[in-house]
Amino acid sequence: MQKKSNKYYLTLSLKEYANGETAPAKELGIEFDNHDEIFGIIEKIKEKNIFENPYEATQFALGLKLFSEIKLKHRNNPLFEELNEVFPVFMKKLKSL
């Protein structure tokens, strides 16, 4: 039986290059599933005031959820071997804040 998950669509747009140029424009859209309701996670991270900037809290929460879902799906991949020991400790620390 497959676990139920939330379905998302994320759009990433490059608005301006480091040199100030705006062309060529780039955009990427991806569909993905996640077992968590990411908008709620973003709000929880913002409420914890871990970062002074709420936009950084959003970036952190989004990046963490995207990364952790892939890590969870591929937990037996040798790439994640070292993280499998420390990541749960990190997540418990984050949740305790």
Side-chain angles (χ1 to χ4, degrees):
M1 185 170 114
Q2 188 175 2
K3 292 183 180 181
K4 291 187 178 187
S5 61
N6 299 298
K7 299 189 180 313
Y8 293 93
Y9 186 84
L10 178 67
T11 303
L12 178 66
S13 302
L14 177 61
K15 296 298 180 185
E16 184 178 314
Y17 291 86
N19 65 5
E21 298 289 325
T22 57
K26 291 185 179 180
E27 190 167 281
L28 169 70
I30 60 168
E31 290 184 29
F32 64 96
D33 297 339
N34 197 288
H35 70 277
D36 284 321
E37 197 282 295
I38 296 176
F39 291 99
I41 301 291
I42 290 170
E43 288 308 312
K44 286 180 184 178
I45 296 293
K46 284 181 177 179
E47 290 170 4
K48 291 178 184 287
N49 290 319
I50 301 168
F51 309 103
E52 292 179 22
N53 183 330
Y55 296 112
E56 289 179 353
T58 300
Q59 290 174 55
F60 174 76
L62 185 57
L64 181 63
K65 291 314 305 170
L66 289 170
F67 173 77
S68 63
E69 191 73 10
I70 294 299
K71 189 195 112 10
L72 185 63
K73 287 179 183 175
H74 300 278
R75 68 174 60 93
N76 294 325
N77 186 315
L79 176 64
F80 300 118
E81 190 173 303
E82 292 83 6
L83 289 176
N84 287 335
E85 294 178 25
V86 297
F87 200 75
V89 175
F90 169 78
M91 290 303 294
K92 285 178 187 174
K93 182 177 181 180
L94 175 61
K95 291 176 180 181
S96 73
L97 295 177

